[in-house]
Amino acid sequence: MKITAIYGSPRRQGNTSRLLQSAVAGARSAGAEVTEIVLRDLKLQPCLEIYACRKDGRCAIKDDFQVLAETLLAAEATILASPMFFYAVSAHVKALMDRCQSLWVKKYWLDEKPLGRLDNAKPGLFLAVGATTGKRLFDGAEMSVRYFFDTFDTALWKTLGYRGLDGADDILKHPEYLEEARQAGVDMVKMV
Ligand SMILES: Cc1cc2nc3c(=O)[nH]c(=O)nc-3n(C[C@H](O)[C@H](O)[C@H](O)COP(=O)(O)O)c2cc1C
C-alpha cells in the first residue's frame, strides 16, 4: 500500500513534523510504503490563475509540482500535517493546494465528474497543531483540506488537531498525542 506523507511546516523538527513522523512510523509498521514530501524543500510557486490546465489538466508552471501531482494521484492514502497559521494551513501547504486546482479542472471540467459528492474511496488523515486553544481553531483549515484531498480522489477520514502547542518541542511533553498519531497511521493502513 502506497501512502504519501506531506510535511507542511517550515520547521523541520517541530510539532507537526514529529506528529507526522509518528504516523509514518505507524503506517510503515503496518506494512505501507510511505513517500515523504517535505514542502519547504520543494520549488512550488503559487497558482497564477492562467488556466492553462483547461487544455489537458496539467499545470503550465514548471517546478516540482508535476512530480508531486503524480505522487498524490498514485497514493492509496495521504497524510497531511500543518501548523495553524492565522487559522489556516501554512503558506507551503496553501501553495500546494492552489496548484491542485489543475487536478480539480481535470476531474470536474475535463472529465465531467459530478460535483459535490466527496465520496472518495482513498482515506486522508489531517494532523494539525496550533498554539491557542479555541474550539474552532481547526475549522477553516479542515474545510480547505477536505476539498484539497478531493482533487486527488481522497476523502478526509480523520482530523487530529492538537491545541496549546507553540515551542518546537512542546509536543514532546505529550507522548499521548504522538501515540494517537502513530495509531492513526496503523489504522489507516488497515482500512485500505
Ligand atoms: C505565521 C504564524 C501564524 C500563526 N498563527 C496561529 C494561529 O492563528 N493560531 C494558533 O493557534 N497558532 C498560530 N501560530 C502558532 C503555531 O501554530 C504553533 O507555534 C505551532 O506549534 C507550530 O507548529 P510546528 O512546530 O509544527 O511548526 C502561528 C505561528 C506562526 C509562525
Side-chain angles (χ1 to χ4, degrees), residues 64-86:
D64 290 328
F65 177 71
Q66 275 71 23
V67 174
L68 194 41
E70 296 301 322
T71 307
L72 294 174
L73 288 165
E76 294 161 87
T78 299
I79 314 173
L80 169 70
S82 179
M84 287 306 98
F85 284 179
F86 290 93

Side-chain angles (χ1 to χ4, degrees), residues 9 11 14-16 83-87 129-132 137 165-166:
S9 176
R11 269 180 184 159
N15 300 305
T16 52
M84 287 306 98
F85 284 179
F86 290 93
Y87 290 86
V129 165
T132 55
L137 177 57
L165 304 175
D166 203 7

Side-chain angles (χ1 to χ4, degrees), residues 61-172:
I61 305 171
K62 299 284 174 260
D63 59 12
D64 290 328
F65 177 71
Q66 275 71 23
V67 174
L68 194 41
E70 296 301 322
T71 307
L72 294 174
L73 288 165
E76 294 161 87
T78 299
I79 314 173
L80 169 70
S82 179
M84 287 306 98
F85 284 179
F86 290 93
Y87 290 86
V89 292
S90 71
H92 299 72
V93 174
K94 190 60 166 61
L96 171 62
M97 285 179 165
D98 289 355
R99 294 291 294 284
C100 284
Q101 177 70 355
S102 54
L103 305 184
W104 190 95
V105 163
K106 170 92 171 70
K107 182 170 179 174
Y108 291 110
W109 285 356
L110 302 179
D111 295 346
E112 297 182 356
K113 296 265 164 60
L115 266 165
R117 289 242 179 110
L118 299 183
D119 56 353
N120 300 300
K122 304 196 287 184
L125 169 63
F126 178 39
L127 304 174
V129 165
T132 55
T133 55
K135 189 165 165 273
R136 302 190 61 195
L137 177 57
F138 306 110
D139 286 8
E142 190 180 63
M143 177 80 101
S144 300
V145 170
R146 192 181 298 281
Y147 286 91
F148 160 64
F149 277 170
D150 178 63
T151 64
F152 47 95
D153 304 322
T154 298
L156 178 61
W157 160 61
K158 190 186 277 240
T159 298
L160 293 177
Y162 300 101
R163 297 170 171 82
L165 304 175
D166 203 7
D169 296 333
D170 281 0
I171 189 98
L172 299 178

